[in-house]
Amino acid sequence: MRILVVDDDTLSRFLLVHMLEQQGYLDTFEAEDGMVAIELAKRIKPDLVLLDIVMPEMDGFEVATQLKKLAGDIYLPIIFITALDDEKSLARCLEVGGDDFVAKPFDKVILAAKIRAHVRTRLLSKKTFEQNKQLTFYRNAIEREHKIVEHIFANALSVNKSFTRYLDYCLNPASDFNGDLFIASASPTGGMYFLIGDFTGHGLASAIGALPVSQAFQAMSRKGLSLMEMAETINQTLLMLLPDDMFFAAALVEISHTGKQVDIWNGGMPSLLLQDQNGKIVKRFDSRHMALGILESHEFEADVERYEMQFGDRLVAFSDGIVELENDEGQMLGNEGIETWLLAQPNMNVEGIIDKAKEYLGSRQRKDDVTVIIFTSQPLEQVTNKGVASKIPLKMVLELDAKHIKSSDPVVDLVSVITNQLSLYGVHSELFTVLSELYNNALEHGVLELDSELKQSDSGFFAYFKLREEKLSSLEAASIVISAEYLPDENALAIQIKDSGKGFKQQHMSELENLEKSYGRGISLVKELCESVEYTNKGNTVDVVFKI
């Protein structure tokens, strides 16, 4: 503890220093006038000053003012030791920055007590000052990091302006960083994809998962992957990346180049609404799946819903931030509230919805991020990133035994090989759908001999997949052969899948097709996407012609 004693009287300085040493304050410094005191204070930075008022050249009042300036934001206690006893002089002591005063001749006990009290305050002030310095440092560091992250997010998550003519949208975060995510990307087929999602919570912690999702989504969009593949890939990415208490509710949407056909995968998001030109809600795309980042791959379901819109129909998507708005009475808006707004004003745009949301909130503060998107069905301009298909005929044959069947799903790799080798990114999604359905039928109904009638109820649905896992794990002898021949002159792929199962009667095909059709998949979808579909060899072999 450094104490500076300032007095022009040598005896007074001696007495004060001696008293301080008796109290254990050994780090003391003396100054015989104001100028020396100021120069010494600059060098030693005292923790407390005992200051005389009446001194030549520079009195104690002026010295106190200068010392306070040197101390800055840290409290420097100055105790005046003075023979003056008039009220005006004592008041002046406090006005110029003095913190206390003791009359000469001073009482050692009282002076020692005052010194101890002011020393405690000084130590507390220094501690507070250091803490404020650290807080300022961390605040500046965090602000800089936030600016860097904001810059990265602004570039990585920005929506291409070419989509604004088709999509009316708004992201309205509840804090600096957004837990909601909206990205759109062109499809090689001339259509578009978009994703609307919501990470648990909001702020930087929730937004951090947006970067890998965005990069994966855009990379898969460029290759024309199906929504099923996108959902599975993003789920697996987030499963490895996110902590156990965090997940990503999301809806993936693919719109064909005609602007009419829409495929939707909804995992944990509010229902997407389809509104016709008269304002009627004609379809609700409810959440049929768990949010991303929760289920393991073998538990994950990636089925999509397909719908044929009419020009002028509107697809409305929104995050739960708007669904969970509460008014002054504590009533939650809900999906019904949004539908009421849309029915009352069929042409309400996103701005109108946001305004209604603010009006509904009243005096309450919004707790979550809000995102709203509207797509109006219309033809989309073709994109030019299809690539030039190869002119060389090519045939690939994939022979799978029981070991391969049990350990892998060859469809993803096979589709990637075909589309990459032949530059057929524009058909990736449809080709994946065709091969997935054909392969799964060969595996489940051919090799494993499963009956689709089990899937007619919820309990049967789970029983079906449990039985599938049991039979697959005990599989010992089986084969599935997949051949894909590229016919450049016909601009087509001839695909054949042959399994080693017992086969089935031909009339069973219509029953199988009807059962599968109720789930949005199956032979009917394959027939829709292919020029021809033919089952032979008791149902063990299927040949399709897939036009490019």
Side-chain angles (χ1 to χ4, degrees):
M1 178 62 62
R2 292 189 180 93
I3 298 179
L4 175 60
V5 179
V6 185
D7 199 319
D8 62 330
D9 182 67
T10 304
L11 180 59
S12 294
R13 293 200 308 273
F14 173 80
L15 292 173
L16 285 169
V17 171
H18 182 68
M19 185 274 293
L20 290 170
E21 289 176 349
Q22 287 181 330
Q23 297 295 323
Y25 300 109
L26 304 179
D27 198 5
T28 58
F29 298 83
E30 299 179 47
E32 64 272 18
D33 60 43
M35 293 300 296
V36 174
I38 291 171
E39 291 302 319
L40 192 57
K42 290 179 181 178
R43 181 165 56 86
I44 68 169
K45 294 181 173 52
D47 295 302
L48 182 140
V49 179
L50 299 178
L51 179 61
D52 186 21
I53 294 178
V54 181
M55 293 186 296
E57 296 185 12
M58 184 183 290
D59 63 21
F61 298 131
E62 189 175 350
V63 173
T65 302
Q66 295 291 330
L67 291 176
K68 284 291 186 178
K69 287 181 180 178
L70 289 174
D73 294 331
I74 302 177
Y75 170 67
L76 174 62
I78 297 177
I79 301 176
F80 282 101
I81 310 294
T82 178
L84 301 175
D85 58 0
D86 59 290
E87 292 182 358
K88 185 176 180 181
S89 296
L90 297 178
R92 180 99 189 275
C93 289
L94 302 178
E95 290 173 359
V96 298
D99 300 288
D100 213 333
F101 47 80
V102 175
K104 289 183 179 180
F106 57 83
D107 184 298
K108 292 181 181 180
V109 176
I110 293 176
L111 179 56
K114 289 189 175 186
I115 289 173
R116 286 193 295 271
H118 286 290
V119 164
R120 287 196 298 269
T121 306
R122 164 73 173 180
L123 293 174
L124 181 61
S125 175
K126 289 178 71 174
K127 184 178 181 180
T128 303
F129 179 78
E130 289 301 320
Q131 289 175 338
N132 287 337
K133 265 178 57 175
Q134 291 180 8
L135 288 173
T136 300
F137 172 80
Y138 289 128
R139 184 177 67 248
N140 291 338
I142 290 172
E143 286 178 357
R144 172 169 170 73
E145 290 173 357
H146 278 202
K147 287 180 180 178
I148 293 172
V149 174
E150 285 172 1
H151 177 80
I152 295 172
F153 276 35
N155 286 279
L157 305 180
S158 60
V159 178
N160 191 314
K161 291 183 179 179
S162 63
F163 294 111
T164 56
R165 61 180 295 185
Y166 306 117
L167 297 170
D168 183 15
Y169 65 93
C170 176
L171 280 81
N172 202 335
S175 61
D176 290 340
F177 292 99
N178 199 355
D180 281 8
L181 177 62
F182 168 57
I183 41 179
S185 183
S187 163
T189 62
M192 74 160 75
Y193 301 93
F194 73 78
L195 177 152
I196 175 174
D198 181 11
F199 284 93
T200 47
H202 54 268
L204 181 58
S206 61
I208 204 70
L211 291 177
V213 170
S214 172
Q215 297 303 305
F217 175 81
Q218 291 172 359
M220 291 186 287
S221 297
R222 286 192 292 271
K223 292 186 176 182
L225 269 61
S226 68
L227 296 188
M228 295 171 63
E229 291 172 286
M230 287 185 174
E232 289 171 347
T233 301
I234 295 173
N235 180 72
Q236 190 60 34
T237 300
L238 294 180
L239 199 61
M240 295 185 293
L241 180 68
L242 298 181
D244 293 339
D245 61 345
M246 190 173 177
F247 55 84
F248 181 50
L252 291 159
V253 179
E254 181 179 6
I255 301 168
S256 67
H257 72 276
T258 64
K260 286 187 171 184
Q261 182 177 288
V262 59
D263 288 346
I264 295 177
W265 183 94
N266 188 351
M269 288 293 286
S271 300
L272 284 75
L273 307 176
L274 189 66
Q275 186 179 28
D276 67 16
Q277 296 182 64
N278 298 318
K280 182 181 178 182
I281 306 298
V282 295
K283 173 70 175 175
R284 295 173 183 83
F285 297 94
D286 300 325
S287 172
R288 297 189 173 186
H289 306 282
M290 292 287 284
L292 298 165
I294 298 176
L295 297 178
E296 297 289 344
S297 298
H298 67 278
E299 302 172 306
F300 189 77
E301 281 293 318
D303 296 348
V304 302
E305 286 188 84
R306 173 166 291 180
Y307 192 86
E308 192 76 17
M309 298 186 291
Q310 301 299 316
F311 288 143
D313 289 353
R314 305 198 315 161
L315 181 65
V316 184
F318 40 85
S319 63
D320 63 4
I322 192 167
V323 174
E324 296 172 358
L325 291 178
E326 292 183 357
N327 60 17
D328 289 330
E329 286 73 42
Q331 296 174 326
M332 189 176 292
L333 176 62
N335 273 56
E336 299 79 8
I338 299 173
E339 290 188 26
T340 300
W341 295 348
L342 294 173
L343 291 171
Q345 294 179 250
N347 295 318
M348 180 183 290
N349 59 14
V350 167
E351 184 179 359
I353 294 175
I354 297 297
D355 289 342
K356 292 287 287 185
K358 292 177 181 177
E359 180 183 331
Y360 185 83
L361 266 175
S363 61
R364 290 201 170 211
Q365 292 293 320
R366 184 162 50 85
K367 299 177 182 178
D368 200 359
D369 309 314
V370 167
T371 301
V372 184
I373 303 162
I374 297 178
F375 168 74
T376 302
S377 179
Q378 58 190 295
L380 307 180
E381 293 182 356
Q382 294 281 329
V383 293
T384 58
N385 59 342
K386 283 187 176 182
V388 179
S390 172
K391 299 298 181 183
I392 300 174
L394 179 69
K395 185 173 183 178
M396 288 172 272
V397 179
L398 187 62
E399 297 182 356
L400 304 171
D401 58 18
K403 178 182 177 182
H404 294 126
I405 294 171
K406 291 166 67 174
S407 62
S408 64
D409 182 347
V411 175
V412 173
D413 292 336
L414 183 59
V415 172
S416 294
V417 169
I418 293 173
T419 54
N420 288 334
Q421 291 295 321
L422 303 176
S423 298
L424 299 177
Y425 295 123
V427 299
H428 186 113
S429 177
E430 293 178 347
L431 181 60
F432 177 84
T433 300
V434 170
L435 281 172
S436 290
E437 298 304 334
L438 295 179
Y439 178 78
N440 286 328
N441 280 335
L443 173 61
E444 295 175 6
H445 306 306
V447 173
L448 302 180
E449 301 178 16
L450 294 170
D451 190 345
S452 287
E453 289 185 3
L454 280 174
K455 292 192 284 186
Q456 288 295 84
S457 65
D458 289 341
S459 59
F461 189 86
F462 289 107
Y464 179 92
F465 282 98
K466 182 180 179 181
L467 184 60
R468 182 186 187 276
E469 289 298 316
E470 292 174 354
K471 287 195 171 189
L472 189 60
S473 62
S474 60
L475 190 65
E476 293 183 358
S479 68
I480 297 178
V481 179
I482 306 172
S483 66
E485 184 176 4
Y486 175 55
L487 309 172
D489 293 338
E490 300 175 31
N491 200 29
L493 279 170
I495 300 170
Q496 182 184 85
I497 297 183
K498 183 186 297 185
D499 66 74
S500 59
K502 295 181 179 179
F504 46 80
K505 295 179 181 179
Q506 196 64 25
Q507 59 265 30
H508 183 61
M509 281 302 304
S510 60
E511 299 173 10
L512 176 64
E513 180 177 338
N514 288 334
L515 287 170
E516 294 288 350
K517 194 171 183 179
S518 66
Y519 294 93
R521 298 176 61 180
I523 306 304
S524 60
L525 184 55
V526 174
K527 286 183 175 180
E528 181 183 337
L529 296 174
C530 295
E531 188 173 74
S532 63
V533 178
E534 182 181 4
Y535 272 88
T536 57
N537 191 27
K538 297 183 181 180
N540 293 109
T541 303
V542 59
D543 290 273
V544 303
V545 176
F546 179 81
K547 294 291 287 186
I548 299 169

